[in-house]
Amino acid sequence: MGHLHRGEEPDGVAPPPPAASALRRSLLYVPGNMPSMLQNIPIFAADAVIIDLEDAVPLGEKDAARRLVRRFLETYRERRQEVLVRINALDTPWGRDDLAAVLPALPDGIRLPKADTPEIVERLDTLLTEHEEALGVEIGRFRILPSIESALGVINCIDVAATSARILGLAFGAEDYTASMEIERTKTGEELFNARSRVVWAAKAAGVQAIDSIFSDVKDMEAFRREVELVKGLGYTGKSLVNPRQIEVCHDVFAPKAAEIEYALQVVDAIRRAREMGTGVISLGGKMVDAPVVKRALRVLRTAHAHGLVAAAPDEAVLHG
Amino acid sequence: MRIARRAQAGTMQSSDLMVAVEPAEALSVEIESTVKKQFEHLIRAVAERVLAAHGVTAGRVRITDRGALDYAIQARLETALARAAEA
Amino acid sequence: MDGYWYKEVEQGRRFVLKISPGEPLQERLLEFARSVDLKHAVVVSAVGSIQDLRFRGIKAGAKLPITPPRMHLHDVAGPLELLALTGNILPDEGGALDCHLHVMAARSSGDVLGGHLFDARVFATCEVVLSELAAEGLERHRSRTGGVNTVFIEEG
């Protein structure tokens, strides 16, 4: 079980929080009241885990779950992935106690359910500031991932996305969204199309990431793959997962395809050659290489590097020279 | 902290434990574990550390362990104590 | 305290001040007050247009003291119509003049925004009417609890 030994005292050193632009293709939900699942976190290959104190925990066990998560995180120091905690909404009897219990163990951020209005997110922002001051850690270190999971949330998500510097992205919550809309969730997701579009617009406009909802049928990997491809096509950068088996497919879909990487490398070469020859206009295979093409090539190479598909990250300076 | 009433916490799932506490004159810790032989003394050490940290000097503590690690033992015992304290 | 912390003041001199385009509004107000030895004043009115407006709001749920992480800072290039400037000029504990001003300004759409003014530059014009408050024992002290300077009234 990795480095969790009996009787070992957790040391005090906390890892620096990952950058806002860290790769978050897969965010795996882990129930907060199950030691057997919490202890598996170090072996999950997801980019992030979301330890759930909300829907995964019955009302009578909220006190037990937040304490269990606190004690587990205190023993999980060398973290393999970003650790977020989904607390109960702040207007429930548990949300604030969840924060007080888990923040001293220094998770990377908080996933906030039912982020229907900017004010709800701003209240979490000021609460996190208070905890950071009390803990003597850097102000702003705790990030926020608001969940857009209701009609009102979808309407307000454009303002919500820009509410706080702590926000690392917007997460779309289809389960609660379909409930709030009183509609059925389907495997092909037509009923979610407009909401998903608006959420990803809001995230892109605010310069933050967009994380799609869970896909609960763990047996139907084909439908899962199609949904990941659909939301990637809309601009989503990651997806919440309910089972470790979904990680591989998720990463495979979000990884740039070999052809995309090949083309991006050619774009970089074309620019370098043109620069050496001092010519202004750069063309590749008869097509003009303009700014959007360069931006796209850079993004593909950055993501490919993050996936370990290319040795070096692209040399950004060369392209803006 | 004082154990004012019966309370319990935890589950019987693997890697977890059930902790039951109730008021009593003296302080006692009874352990029932699937891995009793090798780890009973370590489970007891964790339990006693937590009880001392919370200033518990009296009460009957029964632990049914299903292979839980230290952090889970600490968390479940602390939750049981909190549930057993004065309202 | 038997309930009210107040001081009755007499009206003193009154001034109409024109601040020229490009000049920092609050800074010029303070310079002017120093130049005419105006220690206690209330802004009666201010109208004109401003640019590079910087002001702040207080975040929802914020507790005292109002420290920077609890403020929502706004920088609006503008230009905007200056609708109102409310507040006063009082000496601080050290005797130097301190300006506490709240601002309201409007975009071309008619949307109004406002809050605690840090400063702004005049765009086309700015006409300010000031009224002196003849009073001693009226200052603004640094408040630890509130996180902002607050008026201090010496009674009697």
Side-chain angles (χ1 to χ4, degrees):
Chain A
M1 181 16 70
H3 55 286
L4 286 174
H5 304 299
R6 278 194 181 283
E8 187 184 296
E9 278 309 315
D11 58 52
V13 173
S21 59
L23 200 58
R24 292 188 193 87
R25 304 156 293 180
S26 51
L27 300 92
L28 177 65
Y29 269 107
V30 173
N33 202 34
M34 284 176 65
S36 56
M37 285 297 289
L38 287 175
Q39 289 161 202
N40 281 336
I41 285 179
I43 60 174
F44 292 141
D47 293 330
V49 291
I50 305 173
I51 301 176
D52 191 6
L53 296 178
E54 197 218 23
D55 289 350
V57 177
L59 306 193
E61 295 301 325
K62 299 288 188 189
D63 60 339
R66 66 171 72 103
R67 204 184 291 278
L68 187 69
V69 169
R70 161 70 170 275
R71 294 306 177 210
F72 167 70
L73 285 179
E74 284 172 345
T75 68
Y76 183 41
R77 280 289 160 220
E78 294 76 31
R79 293 183 184 155
R80 169 182 183 158
Q81 67 282 95
E82 192 169 37
V83 171
L84 303 179
V85 176
R86 178 163 75 164
I87 60 170
N88 290 274
L90 292 180
D91 57 4
T92 68
W94 310 290
R96 287 163 189 271
D97 291 339
D98 293 340
L99 283 178
V102 302
L103 289 178
L106 302 179
D108 296 302
I110 297 296
R111 176 158 176 159
L112 181 66
K114 298 180 185 52
D116 287 347
T117 66
E119 190 194 322
I120 287 173
V121 176
E122 202 168 76
R123 283 187 182 285
L124 175 59
D125 178 324
T126 45
L127 262 174
L128 292 176
T129 296
E130 279 175 51
H131 283 285
E132 284 158 347
E133 287 168 344
L135 291 169
V137 295
E138 179 210 350
I139 304 296
R141 112 188 263 302
F142 292 126
R143 314 309 303 273
I144 298 178
L145 177 58
S147 291
I148 304 300
E149 46 191 15
S150 72
L152 187 58
V154 170
I155 289 167
N156 289 333
C157 67
I158 291 174
D159 294 331
V160 166
T163 297
S164 163
R166 296 173 185 276
I167 291 176
L168 49 84
L170 285 186
F172 178 55
E175 306 295 319
D176 287 312
Y177 168 76
T178 46
S180 108
M181 294 288 292
E182 294 162 357
I183 54 179
E184 286 305 312
R185 175 131 195 228
T186 67
K187 284 239 167 103
T188 44
E190 286 82 6
E191 76 284 0
L192 303 177
F193 195 76
N194 40 24
R196 273 181 168 142
S197 301
R198 188 173 168 86
V199 170
V200 72
W201 295 336
K204 295 293 179 180
V208 297
Q209 298 182 351
I211 311 294
D212 187 51
S213 181
I214 60 170
F215 182 85
S216 43
D217 182 353
V218 182
K219 292 184 305 305
D220 192 344
M221 295 308 273
E222 259 329 296
F224 174 69
R225 176 182 287 274
R226 275 196 307 277
E227 177 158 293
V228 184
E229 279 160 354
L230 169 74
V231 296
K232 178 187 175 186
L234 288 175
Y236 279 81
T237 57
K239 195 161 176 48
S240 299
L241 309 179
V242 290
N243 186 294
R245 285 181 53 229
Q246 296 175 326
I247 295 174
E248 200 185 340
V249 169
C250 178
H251 286 186
D252 184 50
V253 171
F254 277 111
K257 297 291 170 277
E260 283 174 284
I261 298 174
E262 192 42 47
Y263 182 70
L265 289 171
Q266 285 170 11
V267 167
V268 170
D269 280 348
I271 289 172
R272 190 166 289 126
R273 275 200 314 280
R275 183 128 305 137
E276 278 145 19
M277 288 187 294
T279 61
V281 174
I282 306 149
S283 77
L284 183 59
K287 276 188 298 182
M288 217 255 295
V289 174
D290 52 16
V293 172
V294 175
K295 250 197 223 126
R296 217 184 106 62
L298 270 177
R299 201 179 59 254
V300 166
L301 291 178
R302 269 200 301 273
T303 311
H305 178 242
H307 277 76
L309 297 171
V310 289
D315 176 357
E316 317 262 343
V318 157
L319 299 172
H320 301 312
Chain B
M1 179 190 282
R2 201 172 67 79
I3 298 178
R5 57 169 182 252
R6 296 169 62 88
Q8 66 175 27
T11 74
M12 292 304 283
Q13 293 172 346
S14 78
S15 302
D16 203 348
L17 68 152
M18 278 298 280
V19 180
V21 297
E22 59 188 83
E25 294 311 316
L27 180 59
S28 67
V29 177
E30 296 154 36
I31 295 170
E32 178 45 51
S33 165
T34 51
V35 287
K36 186 154 185 166
K37 277 182 304 314
Q38 314 95 306
F39 288 119
E40 187 195 333
H41 62 289
L42 285 173
I43 299 173
R44 186 175 298 284
V46 175
E48 283 166 357
R49 177 166 53 86
V50 172
L51 290 168
H54 290 273
V56 177
T57 52
R60 182 166 174 239
V61 177
R62 279 175 294 118
I63 292 176
T64 311
D65 172 52
R66 310 276 289 128
L69 291 176
D70 292 13
Y71 79 92
I73 297 169
Q74 177 179 359
R76 296 319 197 184
L77 180 51
E78 284 175 338
T79 303
L81 290 175
R83 289 175 176 177
E86 282 83 3
Chain C
M1 228 176 1
D2 52 11
Y4 303 105
W5 198 4
Y6 74 98
K7 176 170 285 290
E8 186 174 347
V9 295
E10 295 302 317
Q11 226 183 10
R13 298 169 290 168
R14 272 153 291 177
F15 303 91
V16 176
L17 172 66
K18 182 172 169 37
I19 304 179
S20 323
E23 288 185 341
L25 185 57
Q26 182 157 293
E27 215 179 294
R28 285 296 282 167
L29 265 177
L30 282 172
E31 274 167 26
F32 170 72
R34 277 190 288 270
S35 69
V36 294
D37 193 23
L38 178 60
K39 286 200 177 52
H40 311 85
V42 61
V43 176
V44 177
S45 82
V47 69
S49 50
I50 52 175
Q51 57 188 323
D52 303 334
L53 167 64
R54 165 165 279 202
F55 67 98
R56 75 125 204 268
I58 301 170
K59 287 184 179 177
K63 299 239 172 0
L64 291 175
I66 305 170
T67 55
R70 293 175 170 78
M71 297 177 192
H72 191 139
L73 213 55
H74 301 271
D75 278 301
V76 185
L80 305 157
E81 291 287 354
L82 175 60
L83 303 184
L85 203 60
T86 60
N88 52 58
I89 297 172
L90 293 175
D92 64 18
E93 281 143 317
L97 283 187
D98 177 58
C99 215
H100 186 194
L101 296 172
H102 283 186
V103 63
M104 277 201 297
R107 299 184 197 276
S108 57
S109 62
D111 290 344
V112 177
L113 38 89
H116 176 99
L117 176 68
F118 284 125
D119 213 341
R121 284 191 309 116
V122 172
F123 179 60
T125 177
C126 183
E127 301 137 14
V128 183
V129 178
L130 295 169
S131 172
E132 181 172 35
L133 305 171
E136 286 313 312
L138 200 57
E139 291 168 354
R140 194 185 333 276
H141 290 180
R142 185 90 194 87
S143 151
R144 281 176 328 289
T145 51
V148 286
N149 300 342
T150 59
V151 72
F152 171 76
I153 299 173
E154 220 179 284
E155 299 209 277

